[in-house]
Every structure is written in structure tokens, then in C-alpha cells.
Amino acid sequence: MIPFNRPPFLGTEFNYIKEAVNNQKICGDGEFTKKCNAWIEEKTGTAKALLTTSCTHSLEMAALLLDIKPGDEVIMPSFTFVSTADAFVLRGAKIKFVDIRPDTMNIDEKLIEQAITDKTKAIVPVHYAGVGCEMDTIMDIAKRHNLKVCEDAAQGVMSEYKGKALGAIGDYGCYSFHETKNYSMGEGGALLIKDEENAELAEIIREKGTNRSRFLRGQIDKYTWVEAGSSYLPSDMNAAYLWAQLQEADMINNNRLASWDKYYKAFEQLEQKGYVTRPVIPAECKHNAHMFYLKAENIDVRTKLISYLKENDILAVFHYVPLHSAPAGQKFGEFVGEDKYTTKESDRLLRLPMYYGLKDDEIERVIDAVNKFYKG
Ligand SMILES: *Cc1c(COP(=O)(O)O)cnc(C)c1O
């Protein structure tokens, strides 16, 4: 059976976990958390990076930092994971869903402005499959309307848009280190903060609303409760696990990209014959091979193809059910404008097995099976 995902694992994770345990400090903000934060800051150029317990929690922190209040509106695509919306719904926001572009499956930047009202507070672009949204346009819209931008870059670690790291372009950026993502700590994430002046409040929110981070740096004599907050910092054992993978980030990235390229080349003919559509990577984007998807003609063909692959011991999956069609999406949000592509294109999409260490013979088997399906 070729699984759909294998969590990234190198072996060196054990060494660092042992070190973390030997340090006798496996609670949050130990040595490995600091190393991971510094790595993200250096790699992305963001003013401040803070490891968190999940991307969902990074998004929640961003919603708190943006001071989202009941009645505020937040703009995002409907084609995304539930967490993108949940984080803002928890603060009482109303979600305004905007249609996607059929080429990248990202929010259609040209449709954002029509969704803006005097209640709009933020735009939340999602970099689907680690391929960047049209960020110049989005940042320009935000600037003109005095809105904040929070990037859901859960899938975008190591990806770039016009040479800038995804997650480090908007006011806030949210990474995921869940085991289904390119770099893993089991459950985990990071919040990227673009402006230094927002870093202190972020630290406070992450540390139960206290100024403990300043205290630990020796900047104050005792720490106290200063704001509303929660606990969003991961154990240093988890950070140690992630650290092993960040040190090999280029190797992991190149390995994934090589697999992605093999799929991409192999399906050129099926695309020319009009059977499938392959992913589109805009010229200004450098992606990270987070996933390889194909789009079948319609949902019926997709269902048959997934079943056929399963009969051949290959696990392919689909996602997402557009949020505006889910019960909570109807309760907490609304689609603005016409759903021209969100439902239609998500119905067509299937993800093929893609993970670090995917073997050539496995890739061949997947390619052969898809080709055989279309010959039949
Ligand atoms: C994975 C994912 C999340 C959630 O990440 P967690 O770390 O599991 O909380 C949010 N948004 C998108 C687009 C994702 O792919």
C-alpha cells in the first residue's frame, strides 16, 4: 500500500530529544524552541517568530493581536481548512468568503475589494499547496482600505513569492508543523510577526497573558498578568524534534520537489489529451512541493479514479469541502459574489501520495495506475 502521507522523519530527532530531556527543561521556550524561532527569523526575514502548539493556535493568536471583536468581518477563501475560519469565529467575527482562482486554487485577489465593508478588519490569504497568493495586489488593497493581512502559510514553509518567504509578507504569518506538513513536530506551528512593535504583545498572549518572556530575559524583576492570553507554547521536546528537520530543510525540500517534478512531467500527456489539469505555479512563486494534485473532469470521474487507485493499493484523497457549504460556514459566514470556481474546482481535485522519501518505484506505480485508468 502506498500511503497518501508519511510524516517526515530523519532519525536525528532522537538525538535532540535526548538532549532536551538531559537539559532538564522540556517545558516551553527552552533551547530548541529558541533555535527554531531564530531559524525561522533568519530564513524568512520576519521581525519575530514564535513557535506555537499548532497553526490553528498561531491563527488564534493573530486574531487576538488584531483585536478582532464580535461583528468584525474577515475575508478569506472558502476553499481552505476549517482552522483558517475557526480562529476568527472564536472572536465573534463574521467570515466573508471570496471565490478562488482556478489556476492556483488561491483566493482571487481581484474579488477581494467587492467584499470589503466598513466592518472589515482583515484579509486572510491561504497559500494553497505552498504556492503563493498574489501578495502584491493583496497588500496594496489592505493598505488602501486600512486592513490587516494574516497569511495562512500552514502549507508554505520554504516557499517564496517574488523572493520573499511566504508568511513574512503580511502583518502576521502562520506556519504548521503538523505531521502532515513538510516539517513536523507532531503537532505544532509558528507565528511570524512582521513588525517588531507587535512582538511583545504576541509574547504576552502566548504566555497566559503575562510578561514572563520579559522577566526571563531579565528586563523586569517579576512578572505579572498584564493582558488576556492563553498558553500557546509547545514543549521543548517537540521543538527538538522539529529542529532536526529544520537543519535538513533544504534536503527535505529538494527531495519533495524532485518527486513533484516527476509527477508533473509524467502527466503532461494526460493534460494535453484533456483528461486532467496539473497544478499551476505562477512565475513569481517558488513552491515547496507540499502536495501534488490533479484535477479530473468532474466529481464522478474523480470518485472513480480514487476508487481505482485504492484497488491498486494507492491512497489518494480529496479536500476541502468548501467552508461556506458546511453547517458552521453557513452559521458564521457568507459567500460574497458568485461561486464560480470554489465548488466546481474543489470537486475535481485529488491529491496523490506525496511525502519526503517517496520512492521512484512508488511514483512509477502511481503514474502507471493513473495512466491505466484513463486508458480503460
Ligand atoms: C494544516 C493547516 C492548518 C492547521 O494546521 P495545524 O497545525 O494542524 O493547526 C490551517 N490551515 C491550513 C491551510 C492547513 O493546511
Side-chain angles (χ1 to χ4, degrees), residues 13-39:
E13 290 85 348
F14 288 128
N15 307 339
Y16 294 120
I17 289 175
K18 204 170 155 192
E19 210 179 307
V21 174
N22 285 338
N23 286 346
Q24 303 209 358
K25 192 176 187 305
I26 57 168
C27 67
D29 282 337
E31 288 310 308
F32 287 102
T33 304
K34 284 182 194 146
K35 283 182 197 215
C36 292
N37 292 346
W39 185 94

Side-chain angles (χ1 to χ4, degrees), residues 53-57 59 80-81 83-84 126 152 154-155 175-178 180-181 187-189 290 320:
T53 29
S54 66
C55 180
T56 305
H57 281 168
L59 289 158
T80 183
F81 188 58
S83 298
T84 321
V126 180
D152 182 339
Q155 304 174 8
Y175 282 170
S176 175
F177 298 117
H178 185 263
T180 52
K181 301 302 200 293
E187 299 275 355
H290 172 62
Y320 303 99

